[in-house]
Amino acid sequence: MLKTTALKTAALAIAGAGFLGLVQPASAQDVGACLITKTDINPFFVKMREGATAKAEELGISLSTYAGKVDGDHETQVQAIETCIVSGAKGILLTASDTKAIVPAVKKARDAGLLVIALDTPLEPIDAADATFATDNFKAGELVGQWAAKTLGDEAANAKIALLDLSPSQPSVDVLRDQGFLTGFGIDTKDPNMIGDEDDARIVGNDVTSGNEEGGREAMENLLQRDPDINVVYTINEPAAAGAYEALSSFGKTEGVLIVSVDGGCPGVQNVKEGIIGATSQQYPLLMASLGVEAIAKYAETGELPEPSPGLDFFNTGVTLVTDQPVEGVESISSDEGLERCWG
């Protein structure tokens, strides 16, 4: 299974290189690019910055990096876009905190001739950016939802589910993972573009975490007060999952509770190995960022825009389920294999 998955990952990377073309460092001289992330402390965005920085150095591109103070800091991201326009950058790589409100600033950048690529988090609408390089976030949620349902078996019909989401603004990455999880678990999502409108009695409730450990702990505490018998916990990412586990521990409720998440960072995969997280969907931020820098270099050289993956409206950088409790019908790798390719 490792060999098959590794070959898929290699093929994906080769496909990415193919669609971008081979960019020689000399052709990128005097090209400026910007990376704007949600925060600069989440390991996912740290790895994204590392990947972009390494590729920019390789190609001779001048890279400027910016980040919000916290997840959800929309105004700082708008200011960063304006700075990138004024600086004469050729392109922007953006993980938007508010995928709707950022669109006017992105339009201003595109109108000024900059290539804007959304990383990880599609804008709303997705074509507000020139391209999107991302995990299939719906698939990431769906994989952990399928795993949780199959792990519970017949008891899935009696599950009590807590959903620990990202933010009240419901950015696209938040919606896609949440709705993917519910779909994988077998729950009718009603409006697939909205979190929280479901009427399935198994859902105890939703709360937001800001994608960090403290937020995960507080959200889990809130939902445990609503129902102390929660036995399935979906989290937007692994820091939120770590916080949820802390809250469960403080309530003496860790036994018999399945926690699932999305990210695949090294701390999160280690938590899978230790049994804190049952399963997580691993994504590849370094690949997203490095391909994004290549795309900006290609655009600066030829004016060519990147193309999405066949059949999709974004370029898919891959996702793999990581668990030490595999279930039939859901392809996965072990935590040891996940640690070999994790980040953070």
Side-chain angles (χ1 to χ4, degrees), residues 13 15-24 27-28 31-34 51-52 55-56 58-61 63 89-94 113-119 129-134 286-308 314-315 317:
F19 100 88
L20 289 168
L22 296 176
V23 181
Q24 298 300 321
S27 68
V31 172
C34 295
K55 183 58 67 171
E58 176 188 332
L59 298 179
I61 288 175
L63 180 70
K90 293 294 186 182
I92 297 172
L93 305 176
L94 170 68
L114 282 74
L115 176 72
V116 180
I117 298 175
L119 297 183
D130 291 294
T132 302
F133 291 176
L286 191 149
L287 180 62
M288 288 181 203
S290 61
L291 290 178
V293 172
E294 285 189 4
I296 291 173
K298 187 69 173 178
Y299 175 75
E301 181 186 1
T302 69
E304 183 179 335
L305 298 176
E307 295 289 336
F314 64 97
F315 185 80
T317 54

Side-chain angles (χ1 to χ4, degrees), residues 92 111 144 182 213 292 324:
I92 297 172
D111 288 347
V144 293
L182 292 173
E213 193 167 326
D324 289 329

Side-chain angles (χ1 to χ4, degrees), residues 15-289:
F19 100 88
L20 289 168
L22 296 176
V23 181
Q24 298 300 321
S27 68
Q29 292 297 323
D30 302 320
V31 172
C34 295
L35 172 69
I36 305 171
T37 56
K38 296 177 185 178
T39 72
D40 59 4
I41 56 174
N42 185 307
F44 183 83
F45 301 124
V46 171
K47 182 56 64 174
M48 189 176 279
R49 187 171 65 243
E50 290 176 5
T53 299
K55 183 58 67 171
E57 290 176 355
E58 176 188 332
L59 298 179
I61 288 175
S62 175
L63 180 70
S64 299
T65 62
Y66 306 87
K69 299 177 181 68
V70 295
D71 204 321
D73 182 5
H74 166 70
E75 290 305 322
T76 296
Q77 291 196 317
V78 171
Q79 293 167 11
I81 290 173
E82 292 173 350
T83 299
C84 295
I85 295 170
V86 172
S87 73
K90 293 294 186 182
I92 297 172
L93 305 176
L94 170 68
T95 61
S97 287
D98 190 322
T99 49
K100 301 182 186 75
I102 202 72
V103 167
V106 168
K107 182 179 186 302
K108 184 177 179 181
R110 293 178 70 188
D111 288 347
L114 282 74
L115 176 72
V116 180
I117 298 175
L119 297 183
D120 178 57
T121 304
L123 302 187
E124 298 177 74
I126 193 168
D127 62 2
D130 291 294
T132 302
F133 291 176
T135 304
D136 186 336
N137 282 297
F138 185 90
K139 182 66 175 177
E142 187 177 37
L143 285 170
V144 293
Q146 290 171 340
W147 178 87
K150 289 193 175 230
T151 298
L152 288 175
D154 292 341
E155 284 303 306
N158 304 312
K160 293 191 174 184
I161 303 169
L163 296 148
L164 275 58
D165 299 303
L166 183 60
S167 76
S169 67
Q170 299 192 12
S172 57
V173 65
D174 204 6
V175 175
L176 289 166
R177 293 182 186 180
D178 175 290
Q179 301 292 276
F181 167 80
L182 292 173
T183 299
F185 201 86
I187 290 175
D188 182 359
T189 59
K190 303 300 181 183
D191 183 348
N193 299 309
M194 178 184 297
I195 290 173
D197 66 336
E198 298 80 19
D199 58 10
D200 194 296
R202 292 174 288 180
I203 299 175
V204 172
N206 298 70
D207 207 335
V208 296
T209 66
S210 296
N212 60 49
E213 193 167 326
E214 180 181 357
R217 182 173 60 251
E218 292 177 356
M220 191 74 248
E221 288 172 352
N222 293 340
L223 292 172
L224 283 169
Q225 290 171 10
R226 190 178 302 181
D227 190 330
D229 295 324
I230 288 167
N231 64 351
V232 177
V233 180
Y234 154 82
T235 66
I236 179 68
N237 63 13
E238 291 156 0
Y245 183 81
E246 288 178 16
L248 287 163
S249 296
S250 70
F251 278 72
K253 295 287 185 179
T254 57
E255 290 298 319
V257 178
L258 296 179
I259 300 177
V260 298
S261 196
V262 178
D263 259 354
C266 296
V269 177
Q270 184 63 36
N271 280 344
V272 172
K273 188 174 182 64
E274 295 175 6
I276 293 170
I277 298 175
T280 193
S281 288
Q282 187 171 64
Q283 51 183 345
Y284 304 101
L286 191 149
L287 180 62
M288 288 181 203

